[in-house]
Amino acid sequence: AAMRPLPYFCRGEVVKGFGRGSKELGIPTANFSEQVVESFPSDISTGIYYGWACVGNGDVHKMVLSIGWNPFYKNIKKSVETHIIHTFKEDFYGEILSIVIVGYIRPEKNFDSLEALISAIQEDIEEAKSQLDLPEHLKLKEDNFFHLPEGKIVNNH
């Protein structure tokens, strides 16, 4: 699939998703609001990506991102879910999440079992961690994009 050049910068509000991530998988994900998802370029193909994420003016953490079609909506709505590789003490619904999508891991696929899905996600996380340690990716962690001007929200700098 033709890929638009990464990195891709994106920022938006975190909304409540289906609650599946944390409960069933033990892997909490942050969902972007519909407006943010709809503004995603259509040439970013579905699949699993890695990159950097920052909540509000907090620290920048490694993340894994899934872009996919939500069967729940009969495949007409795309979902973009970010799993930040960090343990947060509380939910951050309503906060601004800033992400930089750095690289692509694999296409979306269906799994026969919850266990298979969870182990695939764990592999994605390991892959993301090692990729993001590469100097060319590490430098994006310091990108000015992550320094939110107080009270100013912009989409895609």
Side-chain angles (χ1 to χ4, degrees):
M3 288 278 310
R4 86 171 359 240
L6 295 175
Y8 176 70
F9 294 81
C10 174
R11 177 176 286 141
E13 189 182 340
V14 176
V15 299
K16 266 191 173 0
F18 297 105
R20 283 185 305 228
S22 336
K23 291 185 189 60
E24 288 182 22
L25 306 174
I27 299 163
T29 59
N31 294 65
F32 277 123
S33 71
E34 239 170 76
Q35 292 86 333
V36 176
V37 176
E38 282 165 9
S39 72
F40 252 68
S42 53
D43 54 354
I44 291 191
S45 23
T46 58
I48 310 299
Y49 294 81
Y50 58 85
W52 299 104
C54 170
V55 178
N57 269 318
D59 295 332
V60 179
H61 300 287
K62 294 176 176 181
M63 63 81 165
V64 172
L65 177 98
S66 147
I67 301 176
W69 294 102
N70 243 311
F72 186 82
Y73 287 119
K74 307 278 187 285
N75 294 353
I76 52 168
K77 285 224 187 298
K78 226 182 228 184
S79 80
V80 175
E81 296 183 50
T82 305
H83 167 67
I84 302 173
I85 305 172
H86 173 76
T87 305
F88 290 90
K89 288 180 195 61
E90 60 267 329
D91 287 337
F92 44 83
Y93 298 123
E95 290 272 8
I96 295 299
L97 174 65
S98 303
I99 63 167
V100 177
I101 303 174
V102 179
Y104 179 73
I105 299 179
R106 62 173 175 85
E108 262 192 307
K109 51 178 189 267
N110 283 325
F111 294 94
D112 301 332
S113 67
L114 203 54
E115 290 74 35
L117 170 62
I118 291 170
S119 77
I121 295 172
Q122 298 297 354
E123 283 170 28
D124 297 336
I125 289 171
E126 291 313 309
E127 172 78 5
K129 283 178 176 170
S130 59
Q131 290 289 342
L132 289 162
D133 280 338
L134 299 170
E136 69 265 29
H137 296 334
L138 211 46
K139 68 169 197 282
L140 280 161
K141 184 181 183 175
E142 310 302 326
D143 197 279
N144 282 332
F145 176 72
F146 288 119
H147 302 285
L148 270 184
E150 285 304 312
K152 183 157 169 253
I153 303 309
V154 287
N155 225 343
N156 248 334
H157 60 194

